[in-house]
Amino acid sequence: MKNFAQERFDHAQELIYQAGKVLYQAKLEQSAISEKSGHQDLVTRWDQQTEQFLRRSILAAYPDDAIVGEEYSSMGGESAAMAVNNSCTWYIDPIDGTTNFINQHRHYAISIGCYQAEEPLFGLVLDVEQQELYWACRGEGAFCNETQLHTSQREQISQLLLNTPGVLYTFLKPHSCRDGLIRLAHDVRGVRSMGSVALELCAVAAGESDLLVAMRSSPWDHNAARIILNEAGGSICALSGQPLPLDSASPILAANSQSLLQKIWREYCQGE
Ligand code: 2AM
Ligand code: CA
């Protein structure tokens, strides 16, 4: 018999491919787009429908599990605290990179992370247009489709690429680490922005980037990809230097290794 986590992982994999197929074929009309907090914070009918599909399917199979998703995060009873007995909490983002989905129809992902209390079980991030599934089960390594992922070995700061999905918030809006991060931008080899926290964390997992800073990241943005990053050899923390909480939004710092994470935090964030 399949174990508890494997059964859920197999189910999640089927669901993410099904949902991805629908988004891949989506024809987005202007009337399907609406603003949440403003013109840089958008949602589409496709985000909502995809989250409803994932929620319904997960809860039909695992009625005692809890779901924390972006578009219906405040739905009654569905918080981490509500997962009963030994059941799980699923963190789902139906579209991470909604702005890319709207303007480019690429560089967006579906993100599904599953935890038992604080214990990570597995994470899946589907790059819908590239048809690349990033995935990891705890203790078993990280993969992109069939290929095992390893973070880069780069340590020298002048050789690093830094990803940051929200350039405005990282370098332009005032916050306590801004001067340090601007210094870091000068010291690294280059700064990149794709516009998806989950895909940019997977880029660090895949060794294509070395560092990530995101000022605005919620549990559904990072809880799946952080499992993939950790399994690939990387490390992540809150920008404050504290461990990254599972159930609250936080600025994040991620790196290709625990030692690089500590070095970057000490040299560019601490005391800023
Ligand atoms: P989203 O596409 O799911 O909204 C873009 O800068 C990245 O930051 C995306 O991963 C986006 O996720 C995330 N993000 C987190 N909070 C956001 C917010 N309030 N507005 C826009 N993007 C946000
Ligand atoms: Ca989203």
Side-chain angles (χ1 to χ4, degrees), residues 40-41 70 93 95-99 165-166 195-197 216-217 221:
Q40 294 192 345
D41 185 11
E70 174 162 21
D93 192 345
I95 303 182
D96 186 55
T98 295
T99 302
S196 159
V197 171
R216 299 183 308 165
S217 191
D221 293 316

mmCIF file of all heavy atoms in Angstrom, residues 40-41 70 93 95-99 165-166 195-197 216-217 221, ligand 1:
data_model
loop_
_atom_site.group_PDB
_atom_site.id
_atom_site.type_symbol
_atom_site.label_atom_id
_atom_site.label_comp_id
_atom_site.label_asym_id
_atom_site.label_seq_id
_atom_site.Cartn_x
_atom_site.Cartn_y
_atom_site.Cartn_z
ATOM 1 N N GLN A 40 -1.099 47.053 -10.002
ATOM 2 C CA GLN A 40 0.031 46.119 -10.042
ATOM 3 C C GLN A 40 -0.260 44.840 -9.256
ATOM 4 O O GLN A 40 0.645 44.051 -8.997
ATOM 5 C CB GLN A 40 1.293 46.797 -9.494
ATOM 6 C CG GLN A 40 1.768 47.955 -10.370
ATOM 7 C CD GLN A 40 3.160 48.431 -10.011
ATOM 8 O OE1 GLN A 40 3.690 48.105 -8.947
ATOM 9 N NE2 GLN A 40 3.771 49.211 -10.893
ATOM 10 N N ASP A 41 -1.482 44.650 -8.860
ATOM 11 C CA ASP A 41 -1.863 43.482 -8.063
ATOM 12 C C ASP A 41 -3.157 42.931 -8.670
ATOM 13 O O ASP A 41 -4.246 43.373 -8.323
ATOM 14 C CB ASP A 41 -2.058 43.917 -6.606
ATOM 15 C CG ASP A 41 -2.330 42.741 -5.682
ATOM 16 O OD1 ASP A 41 -2.164 41.582 -6.102
ATOM 17 O OD2 ASP A 41 -2.729 42.992 -4.523
ATOM 18 N N GLU A 70 -4.185 31.321 -2.364
ATOM 19 C CA GLU A 70 -4.120 32.772 -2.473
ATOM 20 C C GLU A 70 -5.489 33.430 -2.615
ATOM 21 O O GLU A 70 -5.772 34.432 -1.972
ATOM 22 C CB GLU A 70 -3.257 33.191 -3.666
ATOM 23 C CG GLU A 70 -3.305 34.705 -3.864
ATOM 24 C CD GLU A 70 -2.194 35.257 -4.704
ATOM 25 O OE1 GLU A 70 -1.573 34.516 -5.469
ATOM 26 O OE2 GLU A 70 -1.944 36.471 -4.575
ATOM 27 N N ASP A 93 -0.952 28.025 -4.867
ATOM 28 C CA ASP A 93 -1.082 29.248 -5.651
ATOM 29 C C ASP A 93 -1.484 28.824 -7.063
ATOM 30 O O ASP A 93 -0.698 28.180 -7.764
ATOM 31 C CB ASP A 93 0.229 30.038 -5.681
ATOM 32 C CG ASP A 93 0.007 31.446 -6.241
ATOM 33 O OD1 ASP A 93 -1.071 31.670 -6.845
ATOM 34 O OD2 ASP A 93 0.896 32.294 -6.080
ATOM 35 N N ILE A 95 -1.990 30.521 -9.786
ATOM 36 C CA ILE A 95 -1.087 31.129 -10.783
ATOM 37 C C ILE A 95 -0.105 32.003 -10.020
ATOM 38 O O ILE A 95 -0.488 32.996 -9.404
ATOM 39 C CB ILE A 95 -1.835 32.001 -11.824
ATOM 40 C CG1 ILE A 95 -2.922 31.190 -12.550
ATOM 41 C CG2 ILE A 95 -0.832 32.575 -12.838
ATOM 42 C CD1 ILE A 95 -3.678 31.974 -13.641
ATOM 43 N N ASP A 96 1.159 31.626 -10.015
ATOM 44 C CA ASP A 96 2.189 32.499 -9.465
ATOM 45 C C ASP A 96 2.835 33.194 -10.659
ATOM 46 O O ASP A 96 3.384 32.536 -11.544
ATOM 47 C CB ASP A 96 3.227 31.708 -8.673
ATOM 48 C CG ASP A 96 4.191 32.661 -7.990
ATOM 49 O OD1 ASP A 96 3.726 33.540 -7.243
ATOM 50 O OD2 ASP A 96 5.402 32.563 -8.243
ATOM 51 N N GLY A 97 2.718 34.535 -10.676
ATOM 52 C CA GLY A 97 3.134 35.286 -11.858
ATOM 53 C C GLY A 97 1.906 35.655 -12.692
ATOM 54 O O GLY A 97 1.932 35.549 -13.917
ATOM 55 N N THR A 98 0.873 36.089 -12.023
ATOM 56 C CA THR A 98 -0.375 36.435 -12.737
ATOM 57 C C THR A 98 -0.140 37.533 -13.774
ATOM 58 O O THR A 98 -0.700 37.484 -14.873
ATOM 59 C CB THR A 98 -1.458 36.867 -11.716
ATOM 60 O OG1 THR A 98 -1.757 35.734 -10.902
ATOM 61 C CG2 THR A 98 -2.734 37.327 -12.406
ATOM 62 N N THR A 99 0.713 38.491 -13.458
ATOM 63 C CA THR A 99 0.989 39.570 -14.420
ATOM 64 C C THR A 99 1.639 38.999 -15.686
ATOM 65 O O THR A 99 1.323 39.425 -16.806
ATOM 66 C CB THR A 99 1.898 40.627 -13.770
ATOM 67 O OG1 THR A 99 1.227 41.101 -12.598
ATOM 68 C CG2 THR A 99 2.167 41.796 -14.704
ATOM 69 N N PRO A 165 11.884 39.135 -7.709
ATOM 70 C CA PRO A 165 10.673 39.252 -8.515
ATOM 71 C C PRO A 165 10.023 40.641 -8.456
ATOM 72 O O PRO A 165 9.331 41.007 -9.395
ATOM 73 C CB PRO A 165 9.743 38.183 -7.934
ATOM 74 C CG PRO A 165 10.313 37.803 -6.626
ATOM 75 C CD PRO A 165 11.759 38.160 -6.619
ATOM 76 N N GLY A 166 10.247 41.398 -7.430
ATOM 77 C CA GLY A 166 9.584 42.705 -7.311
ATOM 78 C C GLY A 166 10.621 43.813 -7.202
ATOM 79 O O GLY A 166 10.912 44.309 -6.115
ATOM 80 N N GLY A 195 9.482 37.714 -12.223
ATOM 81 C CA GLY A 195 8.124 38.069 -11.809
ATOM 82 C C GLY A 195 7.327 36.913 -11.233
ATOM 83 O O GLY A 195 6.097 36.952 -11.231
ATOM 84 N N SER A 196 8.028 35.895 -10.750
ATOM 85 C CA SER A 196 7.346 34.764 -10.094
ATOM 86 C C SER A 196 8.249 34.241 -8.980
ATOM 87 O O SER A 196 9.324 33.701 -9.242
ATOM 88 C CB SER A 196 7.062 33.648 -11.107
ATOM 89 O OG SER A 196 6.865 32.408 -10.439
ATOM 90 N N VAL A 197 7.803 34.411 -7.745
ATOM 91 C CA VAL A 197 8.601 33.947 -6.597
ATOM 92 C C VAL A 197 8.910 32.457 -6.738
ATOM 93 O O VAL A 197 10.056 32.013 -6.565
ATOM 94 C CB VAL A 197 7.844 34.201 -5.267
ATOM 95 C CG1 VAL A 197 8.554 33.528 -4.100
ATOM 96 C CG2 VAL A 197 7.673 35.694 -5.011
ATOM 97 N N ARG A 216 7.920 40.804 -0.927
ATOM 98 C CA ARG A 216 6.530 40.428 -0.657
ATOM 99 C C ARG A 216 6.348 38.975 -1.081
ATOM 100 O O ARG A 216 6.346 38.660 -2.268
ATOM 101 C CB ARG A 216 5.576 41.312 -1.457
ATOM 102 C CG ARG A 216 5.707 42.789 -1.086
ATOM 103 C CD ARG A 216 4.713 43.629 -1.828
ATOM 104 N NE ARG A 216 4.772 43.392 -3.260
ATOM 105 C CZ ARG A 216 3.835 43.782 -4.112
ATOM 106 N NH1 ARG A 216 2.769 44.410 -3.683
ATOM 107 N NH2 ARG A 216 3.973 43.548 -5.404
ATOM 108 N N SER A 217 6.258 38.116 -0.116
ATOM 109 C CA SER A 217 6.045 36.707 -0.450
ATOM 110 C C SER A 217 5.147 36.091 0.609
ATOM 111 O O SER A 217 5.346 36.296 1.812
ATOM 112 C CB SER A 217 7.395 35.976 -0.523
ATOM 113 O OG SER A 217 7.206 34.702 -1.073
ATOM 114 N N ASP A 221 3.107 31.521 -2.114
ATOM 115 C CA ASP A 221 4.166 31.836 -3.089
ATOM 116 C C ASP A 221 5.401 30.955 -2.879
ATOM 117 O O ASP A 221 6.016 30.504 -3.834
ATOM 118 C CB ASP A 221 4.619 33.299 -2.961
ATOM 119 C CG ASP A 221 3.538 34.304 -3.358
ATOM 120 O OD1 ASP A 221 2.888 34.077 -4.391
ATOM 121 O OD2 ASP A 221 3.359 35.303 -2.636
HETATM 122 P P1 2AM B 1 1.309 36.370 -7.763
HETATM 123 O O1 2AM B 1 1.590 36.414 -9.208
HETATM 124 O O2 2AM B 1 0.770 35.068 -7.271
HETATM 125 O O3 2AM B 1 0.474 37.540 -7.307
HETATM 126 C C1 2AM B 1 5.685 39.311 -8.653
HETATM 127 O O4 2AM B 1 6.370 40.372 -8.222
HETATM 128 C C2 2AM B 1 5.790 38.159 -7.698
HETATM 129 O O5 2AM B 1 5.470 38.605 -6.377
HETATM 130 C C3 2AM B 1 4.800 37.072 -8.014
HETATM 131 O O6 2AM B 1 5.326 35.845 -7.560
HETATM 132 C C4 2AM B 1 3.601 37.506 -7.216
HETATM 133 O O7 2AM B 1 2.699 36.481 -6.955
HETATM 134 C C5 2AM B 1 4.284 37.920 -5.930
HETATM 135 N N1 2AM B 1 3.491 38.784 -5.069
HETATM 136 C C6 2AM B 1 3.356 38.601 -3.736
HETATM 137 N N2 2AM B 1 2.561 39.538 -3.217
HETATM 138 C C7 2AM B 1 2.157 40.328 -4.242
HETATM 139 C C8 2AM B 1 1.316 41.477 -4.332
HETATM 140 N N3 2AM B 1 0.721 41.992 -3.266
HETATM 141 N N4 2AM B 1 1.126 42.049 -5.546
HETATM 142 C C9 2AM B 1 1.729 41.521 -6.638
HETATM 143 N N5 2AM B 1 2.542 40.439 -6.600
HETATM 144 C C10 2AM B 1 2.753 39.843 -5.426
#
